[in-house]
Amino acid sequence: MDKIANGHGSQYDINEIFKIHRLLHAASHCGLGQSACNALFDTLHKFRPAYERRLRSLDFEPAFDLDQALAAARQMTGRDDPAAHFRLGPGTGVEP
Amino acid sequence: MRAQYILVDGLPIPFEEGQTIMEAAMAAEVFIPHLCHHPEFKPQGSCKLCTVKANGRYVSACTMPAKDGMEVENNSPDLNDKRRTMLQMLFVEGNHFCPSCEQSGNCMLQALAYELEMLTPHFNQFYPDRPLDASHPEVLLDFNRCILCELCVRASRDVDGKNVFALSGRGIGKHLIVNAESGRLADTAFSLADKAAHVCPVGVILEKRRGFAIPIGRRRYDLEPIGMQVEGQARRRSGEL
């Protein structure tokens, strides 16, 4: 939660909260544990945009940037045309 | 009267009146992961690792009485995911460093982590500060590895009649204590012959001067994974192996 509030979260952290919510529901000893995450779950469910505004990215943040990793190869071959770049998305020839 | 059956993952398992799901499954040599359960002691359902889905509801297999026709979901991705997460929580809560642990290979926590394919601790480590108790001449207590299964508490209270161990504190502050004025094991009637000295599923209660009597690699769960040890027996008996 702190991570999301500080603007460092991504979709992964939201999913992580849901995962813990489901675990608490399934494996708690009593109703106290089972309902402990309900408030959080409900706010996430009903006010999701408020959370998503605070995420760094709506997508998963990859730790590894493939295009960046190819920079050395581009420099060595002296190429910088679009085909030497790796970008995901429509029109680039590489579908995500 | 005809025999009563529960269906564990579609497999009919007979049971007697009063048996729990865990007892019926163990008798039929079907493996349900568990830590705090021990066939010789009264079940208490604290580790929650044996959580199964019985007739659509999540229950602890070790405390839920079996009912005729009950449909139990045990070995499913959903349940094993939850069990894995619970194991990860247990791992980060204490100081579980398998490579330096004398119980590596004999430890149920470690064996289950392998069985359920736990690859990382996932959560941030707590690194709690828990001093050892080396006061007793025969036994060393390493509280770092305690998972609060209460097996030593139950054994000492119910079998040995000595009440040496107890759990103290609540919530995340809960911890294992020794029932003595000084809090030291040496000041209790505890001895190596006690049942409590041999029930620890992890590596808290260690016999002194006996370290690595069996080398790592040839220990109980090194030879065969924990799940196979239960189910292997069943298959050997039915002639498959």
Side-chain angles (χ1 to χ4, degrees):
Chain A
M1 285 303 284
D2 287 342
K3 193 174 164 191
I4 294 174
N6 293 335
H8 295 301
S10 73
Q11 198 65 34
Y12 170 84
D13 299 288
I14 303 256
N15 289 356
E16 196 65 9
I17 292 173
F18 281 131
K19 191 176 145 195
I20 293 175
H21 168 75
R22 285 195 300 273
L23 178 72
L24 271 171
H25 247 279
S28 286
H29 286 260
C30 70
L32 192 62
Q34 278 168 11
S35 53
C37 213
N38 280 2
L40 182 57
F41 178 75
D42 280 350
T43 58
L44 253 173
H45 214 68
K46 294 187 172 135
F47 304 102
R48 190 146 180 163
Y51 281 84
E52 288 180 344
R53 269 202 300 279
R54 295 212 169 234
L55 297 184
R56 216 179 95 189
S57 140
L58 270 183
D59 277 322
F60 288 87
E61 273 294 303
F64 177 73
D65 186 344
L66 191 54
D67 189 53
Q68 193 60 41
L70 289 172
R74 275 196 298 269
Q75 207 181 1
M76 278 194 286
T77 53
R79 276 180 68 182
D80 203 20
D81 53 296
H85 281 274
F86 191 87
R87 292 205 202 288
L88 299 178
T92 58
V94 187
E95 293 303 317
Chain B
M1 201 179 102
R2 73 179 186 90
Q4 303 189 87
Y5 287 91
I6 54 172
L7 285 170
V8 178
D9 292 332
L11 184 80
I13 287 177
F15 69 96
E16 286 156 29
E17 199 62 48
Q19 269 189 324
T20 61
I21 297 173
M22 177 70 84
E23 282 163 350
M26 275 184 140
E29 285 158 359
V30 168
F31 180 64
I32 299 178
H34 59 271
L35 280 168
C36 72
H37 180 73
H38 192 290
E40 291 171 44
F41 298 104
K42 193 169 166 279
Q44 62 169 11
S46 67
C47 75
K48 287 283 168 182
L49 223 61
C50 69
T51 299
V52 293
K53 231 172 174 176
N55 290 344
R57 286 179 55 226
Y58 291 107
V59 294
S60 303
C62 66
T63 51
M64 188 72 183
K67 282 193 208 75
D68 196 22
M70 191 182 246
E71 281 178 36
V72 179
E73 180 186 315
N74 171 38
N75 190 7
S76 67
D78 168 47
L79 284 168
N80 285 340
D81 272 352
K82 290 192 165 55
R83 289 166 181 160
R84 197 178 310 116
T85 310
M86 283 187 268
L87 277 178
Q88 286 167 329
M89 289 175 169
L90 282 174
F91 265 90
V92 301
E93 209 178 281
N95 294 315
H96 299 278
F97 309 123
C98 300
S100 66
C101 179
E102 208 283 316
Q103 285 294 303
S104 177
N106 287 329
C107 170
M108 277 182 81
L109 185 69
Q110 185 195 31
L112 283 168
Y114 278 124
E115 177 78 21
L116 295 169
E117 293 168 14
M118 183 190 124
L119 301 176
T120 66
H122 186 83
F123 302 103
N124 289 340
Q125 296 276 0
F126 284 24
Y127 295 124
D129 182 18
R130 300 189 195 156
L132 311 189
D133 182 345
S135 60
H136 196 274
E138 294 171 310
V139 174
L140 171 74
L141 293 184
D142 187 343
F143 296 108
N144 288 302
R145 299 159 186 167
C146 185
I147 53 168
L148 309 175
C149 69
E150 279 188 81
L151 273 174
C152 59
V153 177
R154 283 179 276 171
S156 190
R157 183 188 60 213
D158 304 339
V159 181
D160 307 326
K162 291 183 182 175
N163 236 338
V164 170
F165 298 103
L167 291 187
S168 172
R170 300 200 70 78
I172 197 62
K174 201 170 196 176
H175 60 289
L176 183 67
I177 55 160
V178 173
N179 278 332
E181 193 83 20
S182 62
R184 285 160 23 114
L185 191 64
D187 300 325
T188 64
F190 188 76
S191 90
L192 198 54
D194 288 357
K195 180 79 185 163
H198 305 283
V199 288
C200 187
V202 288
V204 178
I205 304 172
L206 299 165
E207 187 180 341
K208 284 188 178 176
R209 291 174 291 279
R210 220 185 140 271
F212 299 93
I214 303 172
I216 285 177
R218 275 195 263 147
R219 298 172 171 199
R220 190 170 171 195
Y221 303 117
D222 292 336
L223 301 173
E224 204 178 13
I226 187 166
M228 294 287 287
Q229 295 194 3
V230 176
E231 298 187 345
Q233 291 162 6
R235 257 178 290 146
R236 268 190 293 278
R237 193 168 302 165
S238 64
E240 273 183 47
L241 285 176

